Amino acid sequence: MRNAELAERLARVERIAGLMDARFQMFGIRFGWDAVAGLVPVLGDAASALPSLYIMHEAWRLGARRRVLARMGLNIGLDTVLGSVPVVGDVFDVMFKANRRNAALLRRELARTSKKKEDLSWPSAIPD
């Protein structure tokens, strides 16, 4: 995959994560559409899980390891289940920011695989 395409896909994931978790600010607290949708009982949390699952799907398409995908799934599960609890869940949605966590996990995973590919490139394997 070309570096430009990879950067574009990562930027899309980060844009979605920003919209879902940090689009608005009130009293110095950032929150996004995830927290707003969470105000609608059950349906709001279910609907806000869809962009989260897209981020995870994109990570899978980009070749993220199973452990990274499992961590992303845990973040989404926590956000969906705990976020659906009345009142406490709304506060949890504002504070946890699962999408931004998952975007950071993907960013670190892509940096790790990029570094690994650089280390294995053949000109650097030849001693000076």
Side-chain angles (χ1 to χ4, degrees):
M1 180 177 304
R2 297 184 338 250
N3 284 341
E5 182 183 351
L6 184 66
E8 180 182 320
R9 290 167 80 176
L10 182 59
R12 184 180 320 121
V13 163
E14 289 180 339
R15 234 182 355 263
I16 291 169
L19 287 171
M20 293 304 293
D21 290 341
R23 172 67 177 96
F24 309 107
Q25 183 173 351
M26 186 180 294
F27 307 114
I29 298 171
R30 297 201 67 82
F31 60 97
W33 288 110
D34 184 24
V36 173
L39 295 172
V40 178
V42 183
L43 292 177
D45 290 303
S48 68
L50 294 176
S52 301
L53 291 171
Y54 170 79
I55 291 171
M56 187 173 166
H57 177 71
E58 195 64 28
W60 173 76
R61 288 180 59 203
L62 291 171
R65 293 176 294 170
R66 283 188 211 154
R67 66 193 294 178
V68 173
L69 295 172
R71 179 72 184 270
M72 289 178 150
L74 179 65
N75 287 342
I76 294 168
L78 281 172
D79 187 44
T80 303
V81 172
L82 295 178
S84 63
V85 175
V87 182
V88 174
D90 298 325
V91 173
F92 180 78
D93 274 341
V94 170
M95 304 309 284
F96 188 62
K97 301 183 185 332
N99 297 298
R100 295 193 71 184
R101 288 173 187 258
N102 287 347
L105 282 170
L106 178 57
R107 190 178 331 106
R108 284 194 302 268
E109 179 71 1
L110 293 176
R112 184 194 71 80
T113 57
S114 174
K115 173 125 176 61
K116 188 175 181 181
K117 285 179 184 175
E118 286 177 14
D119 291 346
L120 295 176
S121 64
W122 120 201
S124 64
I126 299 173
D128 292 334

